[in-house]
Amino acid sequence: MAASGRQTGRPTLEEVAARAGVGRGTVSRVINGSPKVSEQAKAAVERAVAELGYVPNRAARALAGSRTDAVALVIPETEARLFAEPYFLDIIRGVSAELADADKQLLLTLIRSEQERQRFEQYLAAQRVDGVLLVSVHADDPLPDQVRALGLPAVLNGRRTQDERVAFVDSDNTGAGRAAVAHLAARGRRTIATVTGPLDMYVARCRLDGYREGLTEAGLTPDETLVTDGDFTEEGGRRAMRELLDRRPDLDAVFAASDVMAAGARSVLREAGRRVPEDVALVGVDDSAIARHMDPPLTSVRQPIEEMGRTMARMLLTEIASPGDPDEQPRRMLPTELVVRASS
């Protein structure tokens, strides 16, 4: 013992409890910010913490609360696609910033095969993370439901269907398609084609719905020969643009459901001797760095991607701290905005 009567070394939770005259559980609740403590007990614990110089042990707190202080961000894509598409990097940036502010660790997980999916499910079953964020989910993806079945909070970037059961953050994708077509029609374009995303993704179907609605609102008749599926990749945009030119050489505008596909379409238009925007106007979605650096710069529908990442992380942290009704999952829809540049 030291001369002051206090034990040397780091003060323990038990010492704080003894000094405050409360139980160990009460000290733990105060330190973890629980509202289920009286003001009198809270004041006593805070006074004891200050007097003893107690610093909570992060690992011990995690164990006591069955918390890992880690969150998994799952992207079912390859490394090549992850680093080729600004969308994913902006989502990661937003999620990472929000988790860093909350002093949480980010576990980035790429799932490229069924074996990796099974391995990740085993990892989750071992309770090694407090919650899961999922990006780029397809309609038949069972992982969000499997995460919820394990009792872990989950938030999706986008959603699988209109009736999504898992918490999600999305942008107004139907409005994005509608705004793009309205702009093109207002510029006098009458044969407006679209390169969709993969149609097993709800985001792609919504942008296609918006395209069709935009045509109807502009007094133009939707024509399925002007619709070609893409896959959100640059090569997919090139392939789709070649198909459209073969099928409808009279087209005078293209709405591509992502900037990356618009870049692929732009290269094919150049090869075919079509000038942008004089011969064919071009609009994308995301308002990424790709849009700003294209020649000519690309008109694009901006979605707040980094803010989507932050919002997802905030929603997950709230659910981790205070689980809600599993049948009433939170959902957020963020607005989009058309950014006009020289391509249209």
Side-chain angles (χ1 to χ4, degrees), residues 3 5 25 38 59 63 94 101 130 172 179 184 251 254 279 309 312-313 325 336:
S38 71
L63 287 171
D101 290 345
D130 295 332
D172 182 8
L184 290 167
L251 64 83
V254 177
D279 302 323
M312 288 168 63
D325 185 341
T336 54

Side-chain angles (χ1 to χ4, degrees), residues 116-178:
E116 289 183 343
R117 178 184 297 277
Q118 292 174 1
R119 189 181 305 131
F120 182 66
E121 289 171 11
Q122 293 169 358
Y123 186 88
L124 294 181
Q127 300 290 315
R128 292 178 177 172
V129 295
D130 295 332
V132 180
L133 300 166
L134 298 107
V135 179
S136 193
V137 290
H138 293 251
D140 60 351
D141 193 339
L143 188 56
D145 295 319
Q146 291 165 345
V147 172
R148 295 292 299 175
L150 290 168
L152 286 169
V155 178
L156 308 184
N157 171 228
R159 46 188 161 156
R160 294 168 292 176
T161 68
Q162 183 176 358
D163 303 318
E164 180 59 67
R165 299 177 300 276
V166 178
F168 67 81
V169 177
D170 206 352
S171 61
D172 182 8
N173 291 296
T174 304
R178 201 162 49 234

Side-chain angles (χ1 to χ4, degrees), residues 204-219:
R205 297 200 302 277
C206 286
R207 289 176 188 173
L208 178 56
D209 287 346
Y211 160 81
R212 289 172 174 151
E213 290 175 13
L215 290 175
T216 300
E217 290 169 4

Side-chain angles (χ1 to χ4, degrees), residues 82-91 93 260 288-290 305:
L82 173 69
F83 292 109
E85 295 197 25
Y87 181 91
F88 294 127
L89 300 180
D90 286 345
I91 286 286
R93 187 178 296 113
V260 174
S288 63
I290 288 173
I305 303 172

Side-chain angles (χ1 to χ4, degrees), residues 183 187 283 287 297-301 337-344:
H183 167 73
R187 294 292 174 95
V283 176
D287 189 35
L298 179 68
T299 294
S300 183
V301 183
E337 174 190 3
L338 182 73
V339 179
V340 179
R341 298 192 179 92
S343 72
S344 64

Side-chain angles (χ1 to χ4, degrees), residues 173-237:
N173 291 296
T174 304
R178 201 162 49 234
V181 173
H183 167 73
L184 290 167
R187 294 292 174 95
R189 308 293 170 155
R190 289 295 176 264
T191 310
I192 303 171
T194 186
V195 178
T196 76
L199 294 177
D200 66 336
M201 297 183 72
Y202 188 66
V203 55
R205 297 200 302 277
C206 286
R207 289 176 188 173
L208 178 56
D209 287 346
Y211 160 81
R212 289 172 174 151
E213 290 175 13
L215 290 175
T216 300
E217 290 169 4
L220 302 173
T221 302
D223 182 343
E224 291 307 304
T225 66
L226 291 167
V227 177
T228 301
D229 297 353
D231 59 4
F232 286 144
T233 69
E234 187 171 354
E235 181 53 41

Side-chain angles (χ1 to χ4, degrees), residues 14 16 33 47 56-57 62 88 95 108-109 133 136 163-165 182 184 193 243 268 271 279 341:
E14 288 75 12
V16 174
R47 187 164 54 250
N57 182 285
F88 294 127
V95 168
L108 178 60
T109 303
L133 300 166
S136 193
D163 303 318
E164 180 59 67
R165 299 177 300 276
L184 290 167
E243 184 176 330
V268 170
E271 291 166 5
D279 302 323
R341 298 192 179 92

